[in-house]
Amino acid sequence: MVTSSALQAFLDKLQHLESAFEAAVEEVEDPEDLENIRVTYLSRRGSLVQALSELKDLPEADRPEAGKTANLVKQRLQDRYTQLRDQLQQQREQARREAFDPTLPGRSPWTGTLHPVTLVSEEICTVFQGLGYQVVTGPEVETDFYNFEALNIPQDHPARDMQDTLYLSDSIVLRTHTSPLQIRTMQEQRPPLAAVAPGKVYRRDADLTHSPMFNQIEGFLVDKEISMADLRGTLTHFLRRIFSQNIRIRFRPSFFPFTEPSAEVDISCVICSGKGYSEDGSPCRVCKQTGFVEILGCGMIDPEVFKAVGYDPESYSGFAFGLGIERVAMLKYGIDDLRLFFDNDLPFLDQFRFYPAI
Ligand code: DAH
């Protein structure tokens, strides 16, 4: 058959287009490549539609032949495209299936743990709740009256230096201890009363062993005929529950403005078991060879404190004590750096997952 030059040119163009398509298809690696090919060749603005639109410019006699060939090319291109699209999809699913290992253990969501300070605070509260104490809390921003005055620490009292107070104004402070809770609770209730009061306290102090914010817990009991023996018995029970039934306890005379008499309490060193030396024979760094570590301050509530809350010191007596929670946690868990409590270091904190509160 003799073909006109116009027809020949048209058929050449189709062939050229098909070869270019085939070459492009060979290079396809992912669905994005394939999509580019579809846009270039098969979309409404693609080169195939472009070529087909030229059909109408051919001589009448050439059109059947040209149309037939064009349709065949179009069909082949489209079939090849569909085939490749399905193939890529299958490959992708196969890869997904291979990447998923159903024998792997599942990933459980990460859960937080209680902070050691919270753990110890809750433990101490639990021990005292077992003795019938209530747990009370109060404001961290305190007035001079509750933080000092009512606790028998007058304006010019040297004990104010001990506290290194953070003042918000002349008469408003960040509480320097949890002792104001004694006053607040005694004002609100009448004896007999027994309470523990945990919470944050603040001092102008920041070095390796002091943080400007730390936690204390206060305890106090008021009733008729309460004696130092009650204090000693209560604290012995408490300290043995928290540390160990085997620890020894020692009272040393001390001074606090809000208690009279006052004492500081030491327990036999929980790190070296009171020996003063570590296992390897070196001096114990925690108790500095003394075999004892200081753990709390306490005493019989001063009559001046009772007067400040309107209790008759002739009728009532009571004891009070206060201790640092971080210090208890350090001794209990063998933590030797105070900063660990405030660094939010997750691997450190995560270790307390396995210490349930008693
Ligand atoms: N408030 C004292 C302090 O912060 C601790 C303290 C000592 C509390 C003796 C007391 C106590 O209740 O009787 O250092």
Side-chain angles (χ1 to χ4, degrees), residues 17 20-21 24 32-51 77 81:
L17 196 148
F21 175 87
E32 206 176 310
D33 295 342
L34 185 64
E35 176 60 10
N36 286 337
I37 291 179
R38 191 192 64 77
V39 171
T40 312
Y41 293 93
L42 299 171
S43 70
R44 269 196 293 144
R45 301 220 176 135
S47 41
L48 186 64
V49 172
Q50 189 77 33
L77 260 52
Y81 165 78

Side-chain angles (χ1 to χ4, degrees), residues 164-303:
D164 280 327
T165 312
L166 287 155
Y167 281 89
L168 297 182
S169 75
D170 278 352
S171 59
I172 307 287
V173 302
L174 289 180
R175 67 179 177 196
T176 57
H177 50 179
T178 43
S179 303
L181 265 309
Q182 288 185 37
I183 307 302
R184 289 185 173 275
T185 312
M186 284 195 253
Q187 274 183 341
E188 280 167 18
Q189 303 177 28
R190 306 300 304 173
L193 64 86
V196 281
K200 294 186 173 73
V201 301
Y202 301 84
R203 292 189 193 173
R204 273 179 79 142
D205 229 347
D207 59 35
L208 279 186
T209 54
H210 294 90
S211 151
M213 185 285 291
F214 60 104
N215 290 267
Q216 280 190 340
I217 188 159
E218 192 81 7
F220 45 96
L221 178 142
V222 185
D223 201 349
K224 295 200 160 120
E225 292 170 21
I226 297 301
S227 75
M228 199 90 181
D230 298 311
L231 171 61
R232 190 176 172 116
T234 304
L235 291 180
T236 303
H237 167 78
F238 153 58
L239 292 169
R240 292 206 165 137
R241 282 290 304 277
I242 291 296
F243 291 105
S244 138
Q245 289 299 324
N246 302 324
I247 55 163
R248 279 168 294 140
I249 291 157
R250 179 167 90 173
F251 277 57
R252 270 184 297 108
S254 183
F255 173 80
F256 298 102
F258 32 87
T259 42
E260 182 58 35
S262 302
E264 273 172 332
V265 174
D266 300 337
I267 57 170
S268 51
C269 181
V270 289
I271 306 297
C272 66
S273 310
K275 295 192 195 76
Y277 290 90
S278 311
E279 304 238 302
D280 64 5
S282 62
C284 177
R285 287 196 305 143
V286 175
C287 66
K288 306 201 173 59
Q289 279 174 269
T290 63
F292 279 92
V293 286
E294 185 188 320
I295 193 73
L296 57 80
C298 64
M300 301 307 292
I301 296 175
D302 195 292

Side-chain angles (χ1 to χ4, degrees), residues 301-320:
I301 296 175
D302 195 292
E304 290 300 318
V305 173
F306 283 143
K307 283 187 207 157
V309 295
Y311 285 8
D312 177 7
E314 298 300 323
S315 314
Y316 294 111
S317 53
F319 61 71

Side-chain angles (χ1 to χ4, degrees), residues 331-345:
L331 290 171
K332 197 171 157 68
Y333 299 127
I335 299 165
D336 60 3
D337 188 341
L338 182 72
R339 291 168 299 182
L340 283 166
F341 291 111
F342 311 110
D343 281 351
N344 289 332
D345 176 68

Side-chain angles (χ1 to χ4, degrees), residues 91-107:
Q91 273 171 10
R92 209 204 276 174
E93 259 160 39
Q94 170 96 9
R96 204 181 291 148
R97 244 178 275 125
E98 278 165 11
F100 178 70
D101 181 351
T103 65
L104 282 177
R107 273 183 226 157

